[in-house]
Amino acid sequence: MRKVLLILVLCTAMLSAQEKPGESRFLLRGYAHSGVEVRGDETTFVGGSFNPIFLWRQSDKLLFEAELEVEYENGETLIGLEYANMSYIINDYATLRLGKFLLPFGTFAAKLHPAWINRLSSKPLGFGHDGVGPARDLGVELRGGIPLGEAKMTYSVYMINGPALNDGTNPNVEPEEAGMLLYDLGEDNNNNKAIGGRVSFLPLSNSSMEIGFSGLYGKVGSVESKYEDVAALLYAVDFSYVSKVSFLSGVVDIKAQLNGVRVDDASYFNVEDSSNYSFSNQSSAYYVQMSYRPVNMSTDFLNSLEFVGRYSELSFPEGALWTSDQTQYAFGLNYWVDWRTVVKLSYQFADTGAHESEGEEGEASNDAIFLHWAFGF
Amino acid sequence: MKVKHVKLFLVSVSLFFGALFLASCTPSQAQASKPGALLWGENCVRCHNAPSPSAFSDSQWEVVGKHMRIRASLTADEVDKIVEFLKMAN
């Protein structure tokens, strides 16, 4: 904690020292959020999270970006490195990035997850921790945007350490979750690097619509284990549409993403009954979100409101000890204090399918009401 | 699994055509001929609310412009014009 404070003090000093314009520019920004959550008969204040973002524009061609996540959870202050990378702008169409970066695997992780951008207080099913698909990793990336007359496209190709397979042999990482992929481990478990990319098209001349396709492939098994040759193919399709709609006097925003993970079949050891088992290892998750903000109404109060609805679904493989099928609905009403400050009230209910394995119908559970605020600065 | 795929397919198709319908009334214009203010209005709202020009100083806009050019894979021409506009209007 003391280290973070020291860094902040140093940065503030650097900021105030910048009086005459020079090549180099520094910006300290970030966001914070917290809130209160009601689940069943439990009501808690949660999520005191503070994310400082450091941006150095070294020259016209060089940018460094880093984000820390300082969270208060279960009585402990946790500090995480969200990303830290350097970008070198090669030319109008290509930028090289090196370091730890948010992966362009779909759009949620790289572009929509910060609390002041996400229209709801929670993440869609399968898009948070233990989700389907990666959010960040260490590696190298080439990316850019290309004009195509009235339309546009973007691309990214990257090489990263990649996900690792939980093969059930390490007692420290939940053997009953054998077959699951672990993301963002910091160090690779083999020599093989994972290769991935995303292309997206913005077919309309006002850039309001974007459709993106992402893929990632690599070996995930630990070297010199019997899982050495197990590989995984991950893919995502994303969709975004944001536009003013005059007959609704407001802005309509539609976001959707589908993630899929396919891991080669392998046989795992069941610690409970000492048997070997295997299954078709496919997981998927998707969400569709729509929001509407009446920005052209007669009063400031109405202009600052926003209505949101989201549906998400998650499916983990049948036959795995972590098999699960879940669905979730979330509805929200937001009040925007300014462009980066929002108070979000939302209600969500989920069918976690928790009892399906016992032959019962999944029952509606995990109902929750959230009142969160998010503050960008 | 099958029912899920059909549902997903229907959701995607309706999203696509719904958006096309909503978009059908906007006139087309080549990206290269658009002024900075228009590009700002069209591009800076796609992920978050668009910041107003007065939110930052000239030198801060230069950093934000680079950051967003890379994060959002905006084209060089777009970002140059948008930053120019923001610096003029702040």
Side-chain angles (χ1 to χ4, degrees):
Chain A
M1 196 61 210
R2 215 182 274 163
K3 259 189 227 152
V4 176
L5 283 178
L6 190 69
I7 294 172
L8 292 182
V9 169
L10 268 179
C11 296
T12 323
M14 287 167 68
L15 257 187
S16 52
Q18 254 182 21
E19 279 163 4
K20 288 194 177 165
E23 266 276 280
S24 166
R25 308 251 187 278
F26 170 72
L27 203 54
L28 174 58
R29 309 233 61 90
Y31 58 94
H33 70 101
S34 78
V36 57
E37 299 189 359
V38 185
R39 289 178 196 270
D41 40 15
E42 217 178 85
T43 304
T44 346
F45 285 101
V46 290
S49 146
F50 162 52
N51 296 43
I53 295 176
F54 306 83
L55 300 167
W56 273 273
R57 177 191 170 280
Q58 204 84 308
S59 68
D60 210 31
K61 296 210 166 293
L62 275 174
L63 181 87
F64 176 82
E65 59 158 12
E67 176 181 336
L68 293 176
E69 180 160 79
V70 186
E71 262 181 315
Y72 184 62
E73 235 179 56
N74 302 326
E76 263 185 276
T77 303
L78 310 169
I79 300 180
L81 181 65
E82 277 279 290
Y83 55 75
N85 60 71
M86 184 196 84
S87 292
Y88 178 73
I89 298 180
I90 302 172
N91 59 34
D92 281 2
Y93 310 107
T95 297
L96 183 71
R97 278 214 289 185
L98 296 158
K100 182 172 184 181
F101 50 87
L102 297 175
L103 293 180
F105 183 78
T107 48
F108 189 82
K111 296 171 177 167
L112 305 172
H113 87 273
W116 64 277
I117 298 182
N118 186 359
R119 298 299 196 252
L120 286 155
S121 307
S122 65
K123 291 179 177 154
L125 284 177
F127 287 80
H129 292 288
D130 285 342
V132 178
R136 57 186 74 76
D137 208 331
L138 285 158
V140 46
E141 181 200 29
L142 195 69
R143 60 155 53 211
I146 301 172
L148 304 169
E150 287 178 8
K152 273 189 307 202
M153 69 168 285
T154 78
Y155 73 91
S156 153
V157 281
Y158 55 85
M159 187 159 71
I160 53 173
N161 281 341
L165 178 72
N166 176 354
D167 58 20
T169 57
N170 181 346
N172 296 327
V173 277
E174 277 135 309
E176 65 281 4
E177 288 181 356
M180 227 189 225
L181 293 185
L182 305 166
Y183 303 105
D184 188 21
L185 293 181
E187 250 177 61
D188 207 350
N189 60 345
N190 53 35
N191 268 331
N192 177 272
K193 298 294 115 189
I195 306 282
R198 173 174 182 265
V199 279
S200 82
F201 298 95
L202 294 94
L204 303 178
S205 82
N206 64 0
S207 303
S208 57
M209 186 193 285
E210 180 174 14
I211 304 169
F213 304 90
S214 314
L216 173 62
Y217 179 81
K219 286 193 180 168
V220 292
S222 295
V223 72
E224 285 173 14
S225 76
K226 75 167 183 167
Y227 301 98
E228 191 167 25
D229 289 325
V230 176
L233 174 69
L234 298 87
Y235 56 88
V237 183
D238 59 81
F239 176 84
S240 165
Y241 178 75
V242 182
S243 185
K244 276 214 169 108
V245 178
S246 43
F247 66 87
L248 290 174
S249 302
V251 175
V252 169
D253 186 327
I254 305 172
K255 297 275 189 293
Q257 185 173 330
L258 161 75
N259 284 3
V261 172
R262 171 90 187 82
V263 182
D264 289 348
D265 290 351
S267 155
Y268 304 100
F269 182 71
N270 186 340
V271 264
E272 275 173 24
D273 62 7
S274 304
S275 64
N276 283 307
Y277 67 105
S278 68
F279 52 90
S280 165
N281 196 347
Q282 292 192 56
S283 304
S284 66
Y286 77 89
Y287 80 92
V288 180
Q289 175 182 295
M290 268 187 223
S291 60
Y292 160 65
R293 191 170 162 197
V295 289
N296 290 335
M297 294 289 179
S298 49
T299 67
D300 279 354
F301 178 75
L302 284 177
N303 290 344
S304 307
L305 289 182
E306 184 178 52
F307 304 87
V308 204
R310 183 185 74 202
Y311 174 74
S312 56
E313 212 172 290
L314 165 70
S315 137
F316 283 142
E318 229 170 273
L321 299 180
W322 38 285
T323 178
S324 167
D325 274 306
Q326 304 178 24
T327 56
Q328 185 199 70
Y329 292 87
F331 300 97
L333 176 65
N334 300 335
Y335 181 79
W336 288 92
V337 181
D338 63 37
W339 73 281
R340 298 185 80 186
T341 310
V342 61
V343 180
K344 306 188 257 191
L345 175 68
S346 59
Y347 169 67
Q348 72 182 39
F349 57 100
D351 179 347
T352 56
H355 303 279
E356 267 170 25
S357 51
E358 286 103 274
E360 292 170 33
E361 277 290 295
E363 58 184 49
S365 62
N366 283 0
D367 288 23
I369 298 172
F370 301 121
L371 179 64
H372 273 228
W373 59 262
F375 186 91
F377 40 84
Chain B
M1 209 58 190
K2 281 256 170 64
V3 177
K4 207 179 281 173
H5 286 157
V6 172
K7 211 157 81 181
L8 201 64
F9 178 71
L10 290 178
V11 169
S12 335
V13 169
S14 40
L15 277 181
F16 186 74
F17 284 103
L20 269 190
F21 166 73
L22 290 176
S24 57
C25 28
T26 25
S28 320
Q29 190 181 351
Q31 300 295 335
S33 66
K34 291 183 181 182
L38 181 62
L39 289 169
W40 163 76
E42 289 179 353
N43 286 284
C44 306
V45 290
R46 289 199 274 120
C47 303
H48 48 67
N49 297 315
S52 88
S54 61
F56 294 100
S57 69
D58 286 8
S59 65
Q60 288 174 329
W61 277 126
E62 284 178 22
V63 188
V64 170
K66 281 276 172 295
H67 194 209
M68 288 303 115
R69 168 172 168 185
I70 295 166
R71 181 65 66 95
S73 293
L74 298 171
T75 63
D77 182 55
E78 274 171 346
V79 177
D80 289 350
K81 285 187 192 159
I82 292 173
V83 169
E84 201 53 40
F85 159 72
L86 291 165
K87 282 163 58 172
M88 205 181 64
N90 63 356

